[in-house]
Amino acid sequence: MKETGNTVTVSNRMNAMHISSDQEYIRNLYTRHQDAERLYAETRTARIRTAMFGDWLKNGEDNEENELQRNGANISPSKLMIVERLAGNSRQLRAAVEELLSIQMSLDDMTVHSINDLIGLMSDSDPAIVVRAVQRVYILCKEDHSTSENAHLVAKLVEVSRSDNIAIKRSAMGALAKISEHPTGRMHLFRSGGLVELIRMLYCPVEVVVRYAVATLRNLLVHLDSVKDQARALGAVEALSPLLLRTDPRMLAHVADSLYSLLHEHAKSKLDFLSLGGPQTLVEILNRYQQHPKLIFTVVRCVKSLSVCPQNKAALISLGCLQALYQLLCTSTDSRTQLAILVSMRNLSEAATNEENLSQLVKRLLQIVRSSDDAQHVACACGILSNLTCNNVRNKQTVCSDGGISSLVDCVRRFPDVEEATEPALCALRHCTARHPFAEQAQRDLRLSGAFGQLVILLSTLRAPVVKAALGVVRNSALLQDNLIELTQEMTPTGQTVLSLAMEVWILAINKLREDPNAETDGVPMWGVVEGAVSALHQLATHKQVSHDLIHNSDALQLIYELLRDPFVSQSDDEVLERELLGLLYQISQTSDGASAVDQSGFASILSECLRSQHRSVSTYASGVLKRLESDRPPQYRQEMDMEASSGWQRDGMEPELFSEMYRPGSMVGHPIGVDNGGWYDTDL
Amino acid sequence: DQYNIANLRKPVMGLENGGGLGLGHPIAPPSYPDRPPPVDDALRSRLRELESDPNSAPFDELRVYEDEGDNVSMVTLESLESQPGGG
């Protein structure tokens, strides 16, 4: 003990003294007492100072005090002097004051220096210090955007975000979320390997960490293209998809937006998402969160991306996605959302032809066709209608009974230069004027709504997709006898008619096919254009005037002859073109002028071959034409013709050889008749 | 196919009427024991069927649209309402 030590010192001094007198002794004793008092007081001060302000001592300052300190350090708390025990509270108080002072300082003084200090403190071994440092950094990041410029800080935050300490993780993620709002910050974050951490944190059980991670990830994905592939490789789609089951609209919107970046133009991600059950969750969100327009927009965009993928198309339709989109189309007020809905629907429509409950949607689309001034919206609506009316009787009827024919004609009139609208509008008109109970009324509606004027204008553009569609509408219009006069008299300002335009298109297409047998223009095969032109002319030729014009149009018979001799036509599995050519020839040959023109053009041998066609329609038309040509022939020939004609259409699928084996009809094969070798058809064919 | 079943009857030639090969003989019109309908009528009805055949061209067509739309336009989600207690 210190006191003991001092007492010993005193007594030693006493032993060493000469005792001269009592008085001197007393004086000495008093002096020594005073010395001892002074000494004790000094050590007490030192002890208190040591206890309370130990960090003020400097090395080698005072041996005695150092000694006291050393001794004090070896005392167990139970044997602490009262001074030391009292000192404990004041020390805590002092620490609290210091902390407050330092926080105040860091908030007032946002210099790069203090940031560097914080970076240092974030490496501290004491978690409590790290927590405080990261919290301070988080506050700084919220208040000062320049923190995002500091690459060291970002790297350190990414490092500490791996901590198991939730307080540290949370603040670090909060800070990174703030940093990711700035371009430089995003770059530093990406370069510090933050992407791996962010995706891993999507699985964190602490909701607020997930929230920060999603927001940060979205900022990276939306702004940095280079991030996307890496994020996909790191399993971002798998990590994000389950988060669509959360209920916070803001979080859902961030998740959907992130997913959109990953799904957009990336086929494999779309399939991955499908295998995770993603489409179903999206449709549920569309049905459940209609009060949150922004969330809906982000989700519709995901649907739009998915809807170009065949597998996702089918899934979305079976999940009732079209109905969900229809509901939103009715409630949404935002033009951008509406367009995304319409584009999605148009992508899906091709796979929805067998859906039976789309009448409301069809009516809604017609409303857009009628009233929208936005060409893109109208184009989408027409495209959807074109697909929904493909081989779907109910949808065709809905269009017709809802005044859709005149709406579509008006639409073509309003947007004549928007091919993305006119082409599908024409296809929808074509679909609705054939093969359903209201088809004839629809053909009449075409005339009543002034469609024919539009048809010649559109034909005169000579744009392959438009022309092909328009020819189909012309053909169906011509099915109705009442339409024929008006249809054939309609003219463009330059005097072109349906007939002259159909011939022009036909010749143009043939010229292209002469250069290249597989010619296409704007994705339209020229064979399809030829087919459309011939098919339209076939119906138009039921009008006597047209038939008459065609007889005197050397091009027409020449083209028919050329095509019937083309192996591509006669040996095709598809009988359509051959059938239409013969149908056209049949119509032309109905008048005696026509019959003799056909006869003089040397068709007999071709027609004889056509009699043996595997296609009943082809052999029947050939028989019909040959019957017409008979009138100039001797009786003997007529008898043979009878046999020939009957055999042609009564074989009922028997092989020609077998049939002639069994029934031995008179055969004309190899006996071409009436071939005019001086005819035009021998030249340059 | 919808057509008159009567038209399906096939003419059968008796052998005594010079069935065989009949080479060098002028070909005689076959004799029909029970008078099938004359060719003209049958042909005419077949042609009428063809001319009014609703299943002739042009067929309905589907167009496959693959439009992913705009080049990832930015959405601002800052104003998006969040549930209470959101981060």
Side-chain angles (χ1 to χ4, degrees), chain A residues 17 115 123 126 225 259 377 428 462 479:
Chain A
M17 265 195 268
I115 287 280
S123 305
D126 181 356
D225 272 348
L259 280 167
H377 288 225
L462 300 181
L479 289 170

Side-chain angles (χ1 to χ4, degrees), chain B residues 1-85:
Chain B
D1 269 7
Q2 307 173 336
Y3 44 80
N4 193 340
I5 288 184
N7 296 340
L8 287 172
R9 297 187 48 189
K10 296 190 172 58
V12 178
M13 287 158 66
L15 281 173
E16 64 275 19
N17 290 345
L21 294 174
L23 281 172
H25 297 286
I27 296 166
S31 66
Y32 300 106
D34 35 60
R35 308 292 298 165
V39 169
D40 261 3
D41 286 352
L43 181 59
R44 243 194 298 271
S45 78
R46 296 245 343 119
L47 286 163
R48 265 200 303 274
E49 278 170 27
L50 273 183
E51 284 293 272
S52 60
D53 176 12
N55 293 317
S56 57
F59 301 121
D60 290 3
E61 285 176 337
L62 278 179
R63 169 142 318 198
V64 180
Y65 286 96
E66 291 189 349
D67 177 10
E68 286 205 54
D70 58 298
N71 310 324
V72 196
S73 60
M74 299 284 175
V75 204
T76 51
L77 299 176
E78 276 59 48
S79 64
L80 191 69
E81 60 292 339
S82 193
Q83 281 180 344

Side-chain angles (χ1 to χ4, degrees), chain A residues 141-154:
Chain A
C141 290
K142 279 212 287 199
E143 299 188 348
D144 179 6
H145 297 167
S146 69
T147 48
S148 62
E149 312 279 330
N150 188 326
H152 292 300
L153 177 69
V154 177

Side-chain angles (χ1 to χ4, degrees), chain A residues 221-485:
Chain A
L221 287 170
V222 166
H223 295 283
L224 290 174
D225 272 348
S226 50
V227 171
K228 288 171 191 166
D229 276 335
Q230 208 169 324
R232 289 176 186 127
L234 291 166
V237 174
E238 292 83 347
L240 284 163
S241 299
L243 298 178
L244 290 171
L245 297 166
R246 302 294 165 95
T247 53
D248 175 28
R250 188 187 174 87
M251 163 96 133
L252 288 173
H254 280 112
V255 172
D257 222 23
S258 306
L259 280 167
Y260 176 61
S261 296
L262 296 167
L263 297 172
H264 188 74
E265 291 177 352
H266 195 264
K268 187 185 172 296
S269 291
K270 290 175 179 141
L271 292 174
D272 290 347
F273 187 70
L274 175 62
S275 69
L276 294 160
Q280 182 168 0
T281 328
L282 291 181
V283 174
E284 280 165 11
I285 294 173
L286 291 180
N287 285 325
R288 201 180 303 160
Y289 290 86
Q290 300 189 357
Q291 304 312 310
H292 300 274
K294 280 209 165 170
L295 168 57
I296 291 295
F297 178 63
T298 60
V299 172
V300 170
R301 285 209 309 178
C302 287
V303 169
K304 184 177 72 178
S305 267
L306 291 172
S307 64
V308 306
C309 158
Q311 292 88 336
N312 272 291
K313 246 185 240 239
L316 286 165
I317 285 171
S318 67
L319 290 163
C321 188
L322 275 172
Q323 281 76 13
L325 290 172
Y326 163 71
Q327 292 294 339
L328 290 164
L329 191 61
C330 296
T331 57
S332 165
T333 53
D334 170 43
S335 169
R336 200 169 54 155
T337 303
Q338 285 179 342
L339 182 59
I341 291 170
L342 288 167
V343 171
S344 305
M345 281 181 167
R346 188 170 61 168
N347 290 337
L348 293 173
S349 61
E350 152 247 342
T353 49
N354 295 324
E355 294 290 290
E356 276 306 332
N357 48 355
L358 298 178
S359 300
Q360 292 305 313
L361 172 60
V362 168
K363 289 179 181 173
R364 177 82 200 178
L365 292 167
L366 286 170
Q367 213 172 314
I368 292 169
V369 166
R370 272 191 284 271
S371 58
S372 175
D373 291 319
D374 184 314
Q376 275 188 297
H377 288 225
V378 171
C380 283
C382 290
I384 302 164
L385 285 168
S386 169
N387 274 346
L388 292 185
T389 52
C390 175
N391 296 328
N392 186 310
V393 169
R394 185 161 170 199
N395 290 341
K396 290 181 186 193
Q397 287 178 298
T398 305
V399 169
C400 294
S401 58
D402 199 50
I405 300 295
S406 63
S407 303
L408 287 163
V409 172
D410 283 343
C411 167
V412 169
R413 192 178 286 120
R414 287 199 301 140
F415 297 94
D417 304 326
V418 183
E419 197 169 302
E420 207 188 345
T422 55
E423 192 264 348
L426 289 168
C427 287
L429 287 170
R430 190 186 69 211
H431 296 166
C432 292
T433 45
R435 291 184 283 279
H436 72 103
F438 303 167
E440 197 171 309
Q441 179 58 49
Q443 292 155 15
R444 193 168 292 114
D445 287 347
L446 280 175
R447 182 179 79 247
L448 298 174
S449 56
F452 303 154
Q454 291 305 307
L455 285 174
V456 290
I457 288 168
L458 288 166
L459 282 172
S460 67
T461 64
L462 300 181
R463 292 275 313 143
V466 171
V467 162
K468 182 175 181 294
L471 286 168
V473 182
V474 168
R475 185 261 175 194
N476 288 350
S477 303
L479 289 170
L480 197 66
Q481 285 299 309
D482 294 350
N483 285 350
L484 276 172
I485 293 174

Side-chain angles (χ1 to χ4, degrees), chain A residues 599-610:
Chain A
D599 200 8
Q600 286 159 27
S601 304
F603 275 92
S605 66
I606 297 176
L607 290 167
S608 303
E609 282 174 49
C610 289

Side-chain angles (χ1 to χ4, degrees), chain A residues 5-73:
Chain A
N6 288 322
T7 315
V8 170
T9 312
V10 172
S11 63
N12 284 347
R13 284 181 190 174
M14 281 173 61
N15 291 339
M17 265 195 268
H18 298 286
I19 303 167
S20 53
S21 67
D22 285 347
Q23 199 178 11
E24 195 179 355
Y25 168 74
I26 295 292
R27 197 166 50 245
N28 282 342
L29 192 61
Y30 176 68
T31 309
R32 283 201 299 277
H33 170 71
Q34 278 191 315
D35 285 349
E37 273 285 303
R38 186 178 49 80
L39 198 62
Y40 179 71
E42 275 177 13
T43 58
R44 186 180 55 195
T45 313
R47 276 179 291 127
I48 291 173
R49 190 194 300 156
T50 308
M52 286 186 68
F53 307 106
D55 50 348
W56 286 11
L57 294 173
K58 304 220 168 30
N59 281 342
E61 186 191 22
D62 187 327
N63 279 333
E64 220 170 17
E65 282 176 354
N66 278 337
E67 193 183 303
L68 286 168
Q69 221 188 330
R70 275 197 305 279
N71 290 341

